[in-house]
Amino acid sequence: MNKIKLLHMYPNMLDLYGDSGNVEIIKYRCKKRDIELEVSSHIIGDDTNDFSQYDIVYLGGGADLEQQILADDLLKCKGAVRKAYENGTFFLMICGGYQLLGQYYKDSNGEKIPGLALFDYYTVASTDKGKRCIGNIVIETELDGEKYKVIGFENHGGQTQNVTSPFGKVLAGNGNCFSSDTEGYMEKNVVATYLHGPLLSKNPKLCDHIINYVMTRKTGEKYSCKPINDKLEEECRQQLFERLLK
């Protein structure tokens, strides 16, 4: 049986809106393809791992307090994270995880939390704590050469700017900033987004896109996930699209 290794960063802290559910979705969809998902965790105080040994590094969502608490520990991982990224490990980052891999995050009180500076974007929160990008959101992206609508739930005061390679075009909702045209950040081995949901439960083809990338990288041959029955998921998605994309 093939095996994929996933490193879950700070699962005890970065689990806003049940974002750890994304790991369960990857595990489920891997199992349907006879692939074992081996999950390891990194929490505060752990030794800096050789992150390059993992196929996927996952950071979930967290509020300002959690980000402040773990920021120093995350910075100790900077070299290992960059090496893994440059070696092709896939990075999936949700909300707080998205922000922390940029240059910095400045919260609503003006406190600046340094990021890993893996990417050029940065995030500044509105000083009006009641002003947030919140609600259902739909974006359009491209996965494996095909356009695909991604749906989720956003709730962030932070406004992320200087994004050079967005995850997708906003069809409904806000995105990286208030009334933004684009949302998230994306490269061949990176998906960073404000979309909770959990993200992968509402967007099964995105999960399969990640699996395809990882398996192709591991085997050296083009891998395409065999279809599984996503009838229920697709019916739910269509209901939401009809409601949100009027």
Side-chain angles (χ1 to χ4, degrees), residues 11-30:
N12 57 332
M13 300 181 72
L14 297 183
D15 185 29
L16 198 62
Y17 302 113
D19 285 327
S20 62
N22 287 316
V23 176
E24 296 304 313
I25 298 300
I26 297 173
K27 182 180 293 186
Y28 169 78
R29 296 186 74 83
C30 280

Side-chain angles (χ1 to χ4, degrees), residues 14-17 19 22 58-64 67 74 92-102 104-105 121-123 132-133 153-160 167 175-176 183-185 191-197 199:
L14 297 183
D15 185 29
L16 198 62
Y17 302 113
D19 285 327
N22 287 316
Y58 174 64
L59 289 87
D64 289 1
Q67 292 186 54
L74 185 62
L92 176 60
M93 305 173 291
I94 309 296
C95 198
Y98 169 25
Q99 295 169 344
L100 287 170
L101 266 71
Y104 60 85
Y105 171 70
Y121 61 78
Y122 57 90
T123 304
R132 304 182 65 83
C133 298
F153 177 80
E154 62 177 339
N155 183 2
H156 56 102
Q159 308 296 290
T160 300
F167 180 29
N176 284 323
E183 199 284 328
Y185 180 87
V191 169
T193 178
Y194 279 115
L195 274 63
H196 302 278
L199 173 72

Side-chain angles (χ1 to χ4, degrees), residues 57-109:
V57 172
Y58 174 64
L59 289 87
D64 289 1
L65 177 60
E66 286 79 13
Q67 292 186 54
Q68 290 168 350
I69 292 172
L70 63 82
D72 288 342
D73 186 84
L74 185 62
L75 284 174
K76 296 175 184 176
C77 305
K78 184 173 182 177
V81 168
R82 177 170 291 279
K83 181 180 177 182
Y85 160 70
E86 292 174 348
N87 286 344
T89 293
F90 196 96
F91 280 77
L92 176 60
M93 305 173 291
I94 309 296
C95 198
Y98 169 25
Q99 295 169 344
L100 287 170
L101 266 71
Q103 297 293 310
Y104 60 85
Y105 171 70
K106 184 181 289 187
D107 68 19
S108 58
N109 296 317

Side-chain angles (χ1 to χ4, degrees), residues 3 16 33 41 109-110 131 152 156 202 214-215 239 246:
K3 179 189 288 187
L16 198 62
R33 280 65 179 246
S41 299
N109 296 317
K131 191 175 182 182
H156 56 102
K202 292 184 177 180
V214 169
M215 290 302 297
Q239 289 286 329
K246 294 179 180 179

Side-chain angles (χ1 to χ4, degrees), residues 131-144:
K131 191 175 182 182
R132 304 182 65 83
C133 298
I134 184 169
N136 289 310
I137 177 171
V138 181
I139 68 171
E140 184 176 74
T141 189
E142 187 172 300
L143 302 176
D144 302 318

